[in-house]
Amino acid sequence: MNLSDLDHRITGCRACPRLVAWREEVARTKRAAFADWTYWGRPVPGFGPADASLLIIGLAPAAHGANRTGRMFTGDRSGDVLYEALYDIGLASQPTAVSAGDGLELYGVRITSPVRCAPPANKPTPEERDTCRSWLVEELTLLRPTLRAVVVLGAFGWQAALPAFAAAGWQVPRPRPAFGHGARVSLGGLDLFGCFHVSQRNTFTGKLTPAMLRDVLRTAATAAGLPTTP
């Protein structure tokens, strides 16, 4: 088993009836601005190299973002913020992510999420989160030889990821550490960082600024042994 095999298996998952129905309905009806697109409409695999030393964990694909394009954080404003920050510190080849074929490359970084299908109102249920966990556990296990640091975007991702790290063999403190922007936790050979999610609600209100995001990503990249630009 390798990451390419895992990614292929993920795209065929139909385990959660509510999520399957929603992602496919969105793909049929589309948004007017994307009427000429053929939506992906399936679970979204991780994006980035198989030997990544830094992992970024989000929440779930956006209905008209990754559910449309088939690539994590691609085609929506949240992705615009994230990829611009990665580009600014030298970890992405370009500052924008428009489609899966736009030539974007990540350097030492992989991006994934604990829920692989777009959920209604961007809110997976706890059952859906737990059902999807096995995919993240497999991904973490495959990344383990090179993975040195993880940035988790938002409290939902944090709560979903901690059990996955434990299942993949890392030492998660008890009681489980609380989420916070700038939080840093050692899992025994792996540094875990918290960061507010790059949602429009956070970026439009200034709860998360580009500078705040760059600071967390740069600190995590340093912990992962990745060079960054000033």
Side-chain angles (χ1 to χ4, degrees):
M1 170 66 67
N2 57 39
L3 272 175
S4 293
D5 295 331
L6 176 64
D7 290 345
H8 179 72
R9 288 170 53 219
I10 286 171
T11 63
C13 184
R14 301 183 66 84
C16 300
R18 188 183 79 114
L19 297 188
V20 171
W22 173 252
R23 80 192 191 207
E24 294 180 354
E25 174 66 17
V26 170
R28 283 192 298 271
T29 58
K30 308 182 181 180
R31 178 176 281 172
F34 306 120
D36 59 341
W37 276 76
T38 299
Y39 273 53
W40 172 256
R42 287 180 275 168
V44 180
F47 169 54
D51 60 351
S53 59
L54 173 61
L55 182 67
I56 298 172
I57 298 178
L59 191 164
H64 301 283
N67 188 57
R68 171 172 59 91
T69 64
R71 194 176 71 190
M72 288 286 174
F73 281 104
T74 298
D76 59 36
R77 290 182 177 176
S78 295
D80 292 343
V81 172
L82 177 60
Y83 287 117
E84 184 173 10
L86 288 170
Y87 174 78
D88 286 345
I89 65 172
L91 298 182
S93 63
Q94 61 193 46
T96 57
V98 178
S99 69
D102 61 10
L104 173 64
E105 293 183 56
L106 300 181
Y107 306 133
V109 182
R110 186 172 172 89
I111 299 176
T112 193
S113 67
V115 176
R116 306 300 175 128
C117 295
N122 291 322
K123 293 182 179 178
T125 66
E127 181 181 2
E128 290 162 350
R129 174 200 65 198
D130 294 346
T131 299
C132 209
R133 181 179 298 138
S134 62
W135 295 126
L136 182 58
V137 172
E138 287 192 57
E139 190 169 18
L140 290 170
T141 301
L142 290 169
L143 288 168
R144 182 161 188 150
T146 59
L147 194 61
R148 298 293 175 264
V150 179
V151 174
V152 181
L153 303 173
F156 180 96
W158 185 271
Q159 293 164 359
L162 289 176
F165 286 119
W170 276 284
Q171 301 168 11
V172 177
R174 291 185 176 277
R176 288 179 178 168
F179 171 79
H181 182 82
R184 181 172 185 170
V185 178
S186 174
L187 303 184
L190 183 71
D191 286 321
L192 180 65
F193 296 85
C195 180
F196 291 141
H197 196 278
V198 289
S199 66
Q200 293 182 53
R201 180 175 58 188
N202 289 340
T203 58
F204 283 8
T205 61
K207 182 176 181 179
L208 178 67
T209 66
M212 291 167 64
L213 177 59
R214 287 194 301 268
D215 285 347
V216 172
L217 291 174
R218 186 176 282 112
T219 301
T222 298
L226 296 174
T228 61
T229 56

